[in-house]
């Protein structure tokens, strides 16, 4: 950690915010020596996480039941891989002799390695949770100062994915008063966080990345920074994904909040580099069927990791159909085009909306248009084909990705397309030459 800070110290002791010097400081933060492993994480993660369904009330049986559900519900066949354990899996104290984190034997009588072996036997992968501070968000041992020990431990257990939270960081990281062993600078360029804190946060996460990279097995690295600390400026050089929101809730307001929070940063998305708008709430109540469809579609076209967060045994057939939609998942997991869909102006005189409703993106199959009706009633949504970025000229057919069927007729590049969309619902189209 110290070496990373020393590397940027010359930038910190001169200049003022807004100056080229500070720009250089941020450039230094954005360019760690070793990027995340490219042996994993090319496309956004697909899987499941314990937290939204169970919180701290987790155990081996629930994790293995989820893994079995991947197979029986067709999730594995659809591409879902990761069965991830969140907070509260360990004892409150480390092993006094080797300082390893100890799985709670009441919850995991066969240890994490026993669960990992059974998950791997199903052809799936397993994830674990830790924290960059002294303790996790629920008060269990964090990894600060123990990065190498924990990375080696997780690797020896067969872990394939690490969610790394950011609770309980030391208070003196935010020192803004005097030189006392922390690097001092008053505020970050956005005027919110002390730069000393941010430098230390980034450096610790880099150190953990290095510890993971030293292991023999590739471990996907998920940063959980809730959109703070200007994470989009350096997250792509540190982890495979980084959280852009606070914790998800099963509500339409969270879906629109996630969209609003993520839209300005969609250009960050690419291979091995994913904005994470938190876990799925489908199946947890609070969302209508239309809202669940949009919840899923938004995560797809924004290419966020999709980690289901419910008791999978309670999903209805219609909910399973949503989360296993073959064509939407193919767009999300496309290995030829990395960037996500971006907002576009539907027509030359389209009104400006608080939350963009029209998005376009490319895949190996062609050009895609996604439309979300954020309003409270059914509305007609119209776009001009000439406004769709990169579509070109000619005659086109429109394919409905939700139904898997072509729409009737063809459309010229000078025509418009209109569709009625119920409140809080969406459409997803593939547009190709006729």
């Amino acid at each position: 950690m110290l070496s990373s800070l020393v590397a940027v110290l010359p930038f910190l002791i001169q200049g003022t915010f807004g100056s080229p010097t500070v720009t250089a400081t941020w450039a230094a933060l954005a360019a760690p020596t070793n990027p995340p492993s490219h042996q994993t994480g090319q496309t956004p993660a697909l899987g499941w996480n314990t937290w939204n369904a169970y919180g701290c009330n987790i155990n081996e049986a629930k994790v293995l039941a989820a893994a079995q559900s991947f197979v029986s519900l067709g999730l594995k066949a659809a591409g879902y891989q990761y069965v991830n354990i969140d907070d509260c899996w360990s004892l409150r104290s480390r092993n006094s002799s080797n300082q390893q984190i100890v799985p709670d034997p009441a919850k995991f009588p066969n240890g994490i390695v026993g669960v990992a072996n059974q998950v791997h036997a199903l052809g799936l992968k397993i994830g674990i949770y830790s924290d960059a501070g002294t303790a996790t968000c629920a008060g269990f041992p964090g990894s600060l100062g123990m990065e190498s020990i924990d990375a080696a431990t997780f690797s020896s257990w067969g872990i394939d994915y690490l969610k790394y939270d950011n609770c309980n960081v030391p208070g003196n990281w935010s020192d803004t008063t005097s030189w006392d062993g922390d690097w001092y600078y008053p505020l970050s360029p956005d005027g919110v966080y002390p730069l000393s804190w941010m430098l230390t946060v980034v450096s610790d996460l880099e150190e953990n990345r290095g510890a993971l990279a030293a292991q023999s097995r590739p471990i996907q690295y998920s940063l959980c920074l809730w959109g703070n600390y200007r994470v989009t400026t350096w997250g792509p050089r540190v982890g495979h994904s980084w959280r852009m929101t606070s914790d998800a809730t099963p509500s339409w307001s969270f879906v629109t909040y996630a969209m609003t929070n993520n839209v300005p940063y969609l250009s960050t998305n690419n291979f091995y580099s994913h904005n994470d708008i938190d876990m799925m709430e489908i199946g947890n109540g609070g969302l209508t069927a239309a809202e669940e469809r949009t919840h899923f579609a938004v995560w797809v076209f924004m290419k966020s990791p999709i980690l289901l967060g419910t008791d999978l045994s309670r999903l209805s057939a219609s909910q399973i159909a949503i989360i296993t939609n073959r064509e939407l998942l193919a767009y999300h997991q496309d290995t030829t085009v990395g960037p996500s869909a971006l907002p576009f102006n539907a027509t030359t005189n389209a009104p400006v909306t608080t939350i963009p409703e029209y998005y376009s993106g490319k895949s190996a199959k062609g050009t895609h248009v996604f439309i979300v009706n954020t309003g409270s009633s059914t509305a007609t949504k119209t776009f001009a084909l000439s406004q769709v970025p990169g579509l070109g000229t000619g005659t086109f057919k429109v394919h409905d990705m939700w139904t898997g069927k072509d729409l009737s007729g063809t459309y010229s590049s000078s025509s418009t397309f209109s569709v009625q969309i119920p409140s809080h619902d969406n459409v997803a189209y593939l547009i190709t030459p006729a």
Side-chain angles (χ1 to χ4, degrees), residues 339-416:
S340 66
L342 299 175
F344 73 98
N345 293 324
T347 59
T348 54
N349 59 350
V352 176
T353 57
T354 303
I355 306 173
E357 294 186 320
Y358 297 82
Y359 300 80
S360 175
K362 297 284 189 179
S363 80
K365 295 185 177 181
T367 301
H368 300 259
V369 169
F370 305 90
I371 309 172
V372 176
N373 178 9
T374 61
S376 57
S377 60
T378 298
T380 300
K381 301 296 181 181
T382 300
F383 67 91
L385 272 71
S386 61
Q387 291 290 110
V388 178
L391 186 60
T393 59
T395 304
F396 299 91
K397 62 181 180 180
V398 178
H399 177 84
D400 187 329
M401 296 169 67
W402 276 113
T403 65
K405 298 179 180 179
D406 291 344
L407 303 185
S408 61
T410 59
Y411 301 83
S412 73
S413 52
S414 60
S415 64
T416 58

Side-chain angles (χ1 to χ4, degrees), residues 179-202:
W179 169 261
D180 65 354
D182 281 340
W183 303 119
Y184 163 77
Y185 217 81
L187 288 174
S188 65
D190 58 9
V192 178
Y193 300 104
L195 189 55
S196 60
W197 185 351
M198 299 175 72
L199 289 171
T200 313
V201 167
V202 175

Side-chain angles (χ1 to χ4, degrees), residues 54-271:
Y54 303 117
C56 280
N57 187 25
I58 56 173
N59 57 43
E60 178 178 304
K62 291 176 179 176
V63 174
L64 292 178
Q68 292 289 347
S69 291
F70 270 42
V71 178
S72 62
L73 298 179
L75 297 172
K76 177 185 174 183
Y80 289 83
Q81 299 181 78
Y82 291 99
V83 180
N84 292 351
I85 302 168
D86 210 282
D87 205 349
C88 312
W89 57 269
S90 73
L91 294 179
R92 295 279 179 178
S93 299
R94 289 175 175 268
N95 183 304
S96 60
S97 61
N98 60 20
Q99 295 304 304
Q100 289 183 347
I101 301 179
V102 181
D104 185 336
K107 296 177 179 178
F108 297 94
N110 295 298
I112 300 300
V113 67
V115 178
N117 288 340
Q118 294 186 68
V119 169
H120 288 154
L122 293 172
L124 302 169
K125 297 180 179 180
I126 188 166
I128 202 72
Y129 168 100
S130 191
D131 189 282
T134 57
T136 71
C137 296
F140 294 85
S143 290
L144 181 62
M146 301 287 184
E147 292 88 354
S148 294
I149 291 174
D150 290 351
T153 300
F154 298 153
S155 179
S156 72
W157 290 345
I159 294 300
D160 305 294
Y161 181 110
L162 174 64
K163 175 181 174 180
Y164 207 52
D165 222 329
N166 201 51
C167 288
N168 297 304
V169 296
N172 65 353
W173 284 12
S174 58
D175 170 51
T176 59
T177 56
S178 64
W179 169 261
D180 65 354
D182 281 340
W183 303 119
Y184 163 77
Y185 217 81
L187 288 174
S188 65
D190 58 9
V192 178
Y193 300 104
L195 189 55
S196 60
W197 185 351
M198 299 175 72
L199 289 171
T200 313
V201 167
V202 175
S203 183
D204 177 61
L205 293 167
E206 287 181 17
E207 183 158 331
N208 193 59
R209 182 207 59 233
L212 294 176
Q215 307 311 311
S216 59
R217 63 184 303 111
I219 299 177
Q220 189 161 161
Y221 189 22
S222 170
L223 311 178
C224 189
L225 293 168
W226 326 305
N228 294 334
Y229 318 118
R230 297 171 63 96
V231 63
T232 54
T233 64
W234 50 266
R237 307 292 184 89
V238 178
H240 297 99
S241 64
W242 45 90
R243 272 278 294 282
M244 296 295 298
T245 67
S246 57
D247 287 357
T249 60
S251 64
W252 177 247
S253 62
F254 178 80
V255 175
T256 56
Y257 153 73
M259 293 176 69
T260 303
N261 225 41
N262 201 30
V263 161
Y265 307 102
L266 287 175
S267 61
T268 309
N269 283 313
N270 212 323
F271 292 135

